[in-house]
């Protein structure tokens, strides 16, 4: 499913450039994606769009600290929670966007959610809202953590 999401991000620079779901499913199938993965990705994107369009007045203006319940901690893992907090402190994510990222991550079957997958979720959220992360943040979101050496503090 994540290969499809990345493909959509790279192929359609804006979400409104994406064809309707039926036509998109045919295009993805023609490119070689599996029908089950296509279906999962389209449902996931539909749910993302639905979450992003709901008015969350209280969450949108939140300035408090976000505490994670045990289920969220178990599914997300410490790396994902730390990265979400980093993105929020860097003002890449608003409190509302944070909640959407958490909800979409909890909708996956992965426990804990791999950091690479969380980064794709963040990219897809920003893409679906027509927002582009700045160049430095984009590099951090699109780099696979397995491809880089650990950072050392001196």
């Amino acid at each position: 499913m994540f290969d499809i999401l990345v493909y959509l991000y790279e192929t359609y620079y804006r979400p409104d450039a994406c064809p309707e779901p039926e036509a998109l499913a045919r295009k993805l199938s023609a490119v070689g994606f599996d029908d089950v993965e296509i279906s999962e990705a389209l449902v996931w994107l539909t749910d993302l769009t639905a979450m992003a369009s709901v008015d969350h007045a209280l969450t949108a203006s939140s300035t408090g600290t976000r505490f994670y319940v045990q289920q969220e901690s178990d599914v997300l893992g410490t790396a994902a929670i730390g990265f979400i907090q980093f993105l929020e402190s860097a003002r890449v994510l608003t409190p509302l966007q944070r909640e959407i990222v958490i909800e979409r991550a909890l909708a996956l079957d992965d426990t804990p959610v791999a950091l690479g997958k969380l980064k794709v979720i963040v990219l897809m959220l920003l893409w679906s809202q027509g927002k582009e992360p700045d160049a430095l943040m984009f590099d951090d979101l699109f780099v696979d953590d397995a491809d880089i050496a650990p950072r050392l503090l001196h």
Side-chain angles (χ1 to χ4, degrees):
M1 176 180 89
F2 280 88
D3 290 336
I4 293 172
L5 297 177
V6 171
Y7 175 82
L8 292 175
Y9 184 85
E10 291 175 342
T11 305
Y12 301 102
Y13 296 104
R14 295 181 336 267
D16 58 346
C18 253
E20 292 298 315
E22 297 81 23
L24 181 58
R26 287 192 301 275
K27 285 186 177 200
L28 292 171
S29 184
V31 171
F33 289 109
D34 180 58
D35 289 339
V36 173
E37 287 185 333
I38 292 170
S39 177
E40 288 175 358
L42 292 178
V43 167
W44 191 91
L45 280 171
T46 300
D47 292 345
L48 173 67
T49 303
M51 282 290 301
S53 66
V54 174
D55 181 25
H56 300 278
L58 293 176
T59 306
S61 63
S62 172
T63 57
T65 302
R66 171 62 154 89
F67 290 94
Y68 294 82
V69 297
Q70 190 63 47
Q71 177 197 11
E72 292 171 334
S73 294
D74 291 344
V75 172
L76 294 171
T78 56
I81 290 173
F83 192 67
I84 291 169
Q85 289 173 334
F86 163 72
L87 291 175
E88 191 174 4
S89 70
R91 304 219 188 278
V92 173
L93 293 178
T94 66
L96 174 59
Q97 290 170 323
R98 174 199 64 215
E99 293 304 313
I100 295 170
V101 167
I102 292 169
E103 189 280 331
R104 292 289 70 213
L106 293 175
L108 302 175
D109 291 334
D110 293 356
T111 301
V113 174
L115 192 53
K117 289 184 178 182
L118 183 77
K119 289 178 179 184
V120 172
I121 292 170
V122 171
L123 278 174
M124 293 309 295
L125 171 64
L126 296 174
W127 176 80
S128 73
Q129 294 178 338
K131 298 177 180 168
E132 184 78 27
D134 67 29
L136 290 175
M137 193 55 62
F138 181 80
D139 287 343
D140 202 27
L141 286 171
F142 231 161
V143 170
D144 185 10
D145 293 326
D147 293 340
I148 58 173
R151 296 178 185 148
L152 301 174
L153 297 175
H154 298 283

